[in-house]
Amino acid sequence: MSPHTTSSLRHLGGANTDRAHWLELPGHRTSVRTARRFVSARLSSWRVPEDACANAVLLVSELATNAVLHTLSLRILCGIRLLSDAGLRLEVHDRDASGRRLPCRVPGPDDEGGRGLLLVQEIADSWGVVPSPLTGGNAVWANLATGL
C-alpha cells in the first residue's frame, strides 16, 4: 500500500489542479511523515513563506496523526489547496464510518499526547469537521493565511 498523489479534486472546492493536490496514504503512523513531506514540497513549489509552510506542516501532521491513531481507517486522504485570498486549506479525510466524534481531551501537564487539536485551534485561522463525501468518514479541515 504505497502513497500516491492525484489531482482528482472532488472536494477542496473543485479548484484547478495547479492549486490543489491530494495524497492517499495507508492508515499507519509512518504515513504522517509522508504527509508532512508532501505538504512541505507542495508549499515550497508554490513559494509559500517559510513560517506559513512550517505552520501548515504542523497542522497536517496533527490532522493526519489523529486520523491514523483515533479511527479505524485503512487509508486516509490528505488534501491541500492554495486559496485565492492569500491562504491555504488543508484536509485529512478518514474512512471511519463509526459515527464517533473527535476525542475531546484536556491533557495533564505530564501527558505526552492529547494536544493535537489544541494546536490546530491555536495555529489555524479556522478549522472544523464535516462528513467526508469522499470516504464516508470524517473530513477535518484547517484554513491558514500564507501572506502571499
Side-chain angles (χ1 to χ4, degrees):
M1 295 175 91
S2 64
H4 67 276
T5 60
T6 180
S7 304
S8 174
L9 301 174
R10 297 170 288 174
H11 206 235
L12 288 177
N16 76 45
T17 58
D18 293 335
R19 298 176 63 87
H21 291 271
W22 285 104
L23 180 67
E24 184 176 19
L25 296 165
H28 301 283
R29 289 179 187 220
T30 56
S31 293
V32 176
R33 180 181 332 124
T34 304
R36 286 192 303 259
R37 288 179 182 161
F38 163 71
V39 167
S40 181
R42 180 57 50 205
L43 294 180
S44 292
S45 75
W46 288 337
R47 295 188 173 98
V48 170
E50 283 185 39
D51 58 332
C53 183
N55 284 336
V57 168
L58 179 57
L59 286 171
V60 81
S61 180
E62 295 302 332
L63 298 180
T65 296
N66 279 347
V68 300
L69 292 182
H70 301 296
T71 73
L72 303 174
S73 301
L74 296 178
R75 298 195 66 75
I76 62 171
L77 291 173
C78 296
I80 184 169
R81 179 177 73 160
L82 194 59
L83 302 172
S84 58
D85 62 351
L88 62 96
R89 182 175 181 103
L90 300 158
E91 294 184 16
V92 175
H93 295 242
D94 63 50
R95 287 183 163 76
D96 188 352
S98 70
R100 292 181 298 176
R101 298 185 60 131
L102 289 175
C104 182
R105 296 192 52 194
V106 179
D110 295 330
D111 289 348
E112 292 184 19
R115 292 174 181 79
L117 291 179
L118 295 173
L119 286 171
V120 171
Q121 184 174 344
E122 289 300 314
I123 295 169
D125 295 315
S126 58
W127 74 280
V129 182
V130 295
S132 172
L134 302 177
T135 64
N138 300 304
V140 185
W141 58 270
N143 289 344
L144 181 68
T146 60
L148 287 177

